[in-house]
Amino acid sequence: MNQPITAADKTFIALRDDIVEGRIEAGSKLSETELSTKFAVSRAVIREAINRLESCHIVERKANVGARVVALSPQGLIELYQVRESLEGMAARLAATNMTDQEIADLGALLQSHFDEVKGGESYYQEAGDVDFHYRIILGSKNKHLISMLFDGIYHLVRMYRVQLGMAGPRVTTAYDEHKHIVQAILNRDAELAEMLMRRHILYSKNSIEHKLS
Amino acid sequence: MNQPITAADKTFIALRDDIVEGRIEAGSKLSETELSTKFAVSRAVIREAINRLESCHIVERKANVGARVVALSPQGLIELYQVRESLEGMAARLAATNMTDQEIADLGALLQSHFDEVKGGESYYQEAGDVDFHYRIILGSKNKHLISMLFDGIYHLVRMYRVQLGMAGPRVTTAYDEHKHIVQAILNRDAELAEMLMRRHILYSKNSIEHKLS
DNA sequence: ACTTGCTATATTGTCGACAACTTAGTGTTA
DNA sequence: TAACACTAAGTTGTCGACAATATAGCAAGT
């Protein structure tokens, strides 16, 4: 679903963004009738949107009771990063084998542009840039399941945590070095090393976040 | 959803089983009206079931066109096992830390019962036993996302491949030894080793399957 | 006062009908 | 003959109404 077609698509995305960006607060109940008036669509559309959100683990549903936005907890964030470490590590491993030379070259160029920004003192693009970097490596794995799990599931949840626990981009400069080494490993087609470095990279990121939370 | 409550729950499970067990063939189109008469429920219920199946990657939907059962391919199976290797490796790692002594003891007992069966020449329980073993380790990770991704998503797909590509339980005896070593690593609370062994175990399993397919 | 059971209300689950879209088929034109 | 436009049939998307279930409030009894 690169671009929304049906009303259910649009409602799903709008509702997801409302939740991820915190305009609908974590843990709150989602009333179908209320949402159907708010978005000016029928309850059937709302129900489909909520069902999809449940598949993303953004809301939880109980039969005959209703849906609630998931509650955020430090433990939840840690679990999320454990899954990220696992999946993105594998993605980096596969990317080292499956990315085309052109894709790797583009990735290097992206990294260079990040370096220029960081050197120039701009931190604005920092998070978007980080996401873009990971994005490309995940795509580079060429593994459908991996891509879908991370993009459709994990990443929105990670973003939800980031926004709501209020953590603007940390670790700009060190993260840049880590990114550089990962690209180098992929360039060398060293799958083993690429996976290790990516796992470390995410582990450090997790530790940094844990530190901020305590 | 441990036990189905609503009609949509039951229909989802029934439809999923029909697909996984091959009674609805891979790649075929799912007509909403047709299914609604077959299961004697309204189209709304069928649509919800199909939506859930889409989330599991068991069917693919295109807007205004319809849903098809996914097509099976050797490449698809390989990708699935890559994800399994990644996630279950992490599960074993976490299980080594998070399982209680009691849970580990139970796991050891389960393994012993498998040994007795294998020694007794019974191969009937082999697949169920293998699933049960992995099941417990995944639960032992205590990681909600990991558990849900594997049980709700990957495992049904793996089973679909197994059934439809017609591979009854392979590697009984060697798999037993691998299981034994994994339990030993968990017992020693050696997270690093537990992950490695689990990854190897699944990798071997993948190689065995690839060999059968060629 | 506390529990129990009923009732009223509100919410979710299910249904059948209509609207919007896709696609296959037909006929027309260059 | 090939390409295009249009029509008609069938499928999916959306809607509003009804049925089933859960919850809160009140009443009655111990």
Side-chain angles (χ1 to χ4, degrees), chain B residues 15-67:
Chain B
L15 191 52
R16 185 183 63 191
D17 287 351
D18 276 356
I19 294 172
V20 168
E21 306 292 337
R23 289 185 291 275
I24 295 176
E25 67 180 341
S28 64
K29 183 167 191 321
L30 294 178
S31 162
E32 294 182 359
T33 51
E34 187 183 329
L35 290 172
S36 75
T37 59
K38 174 177 172 183
F39 287 101
V41 292
S42 78
R43 267 186 58 224
V45 172
I46 294 292
R47 279 178 67 81
E48 180 169 341
I50 289 180
N51 278 330
R52 293 197 210 169
L53 288 172
E54 189 191 13
S55 301
C56 303
H57 302 269
I58 289 176
V59 311
E60 288 168 343
R61 258 181 62 183
K62 272 201 302 189
N64 290 313
V65 173

Side-chain angles (χ1 to χ4, degrees), chain A residues 156-170:
Chain A
H156 295 288
L157 273 173
V158 169
R159 174 154 177 75
M160 182 172 168
Y161 271 99
R162 280 193 120 110
V163 170
Q164 304 209 18
L165 300 186
M167 19 200 57

Side-chain angles (χ1 to χ4, degrees), chain B residues 130-160:
Chain B
D130 184 70
V131 170
D132 200 9
F133 176 80
H134 286 266
Y135 191 91
R136 294 203 192 196
I137 289 180
I138 292 162
L139 282 180
S141 75
K142 311 284 171 79
N143 184 310
K144 237 180 358 186
H145 299 282
L146 220 43
I147 293 169
S148 155
M149 281 179 164
L150 285 164
F151 289 164
D152 299 337
I154 306 283
Y155 262 59
H156 295 287
L157 272 174
V158 169
R159 174 154 176 73
M160 183 171 167

Side-chain angles (χ1 to χ4, degrees), chain A residues 37 107 181:
Chain A
T37 59
L107 184 60
H181 290 139

Side-chain angles (χ1 to χ4, degrees), chain A residues 6-8 40-45 48 64-65:
Chain A
T6 68
V41 291
S42 78
R43 268 186 58 224
V45 172
E48 179 167 341
N64 290 312
V65 173

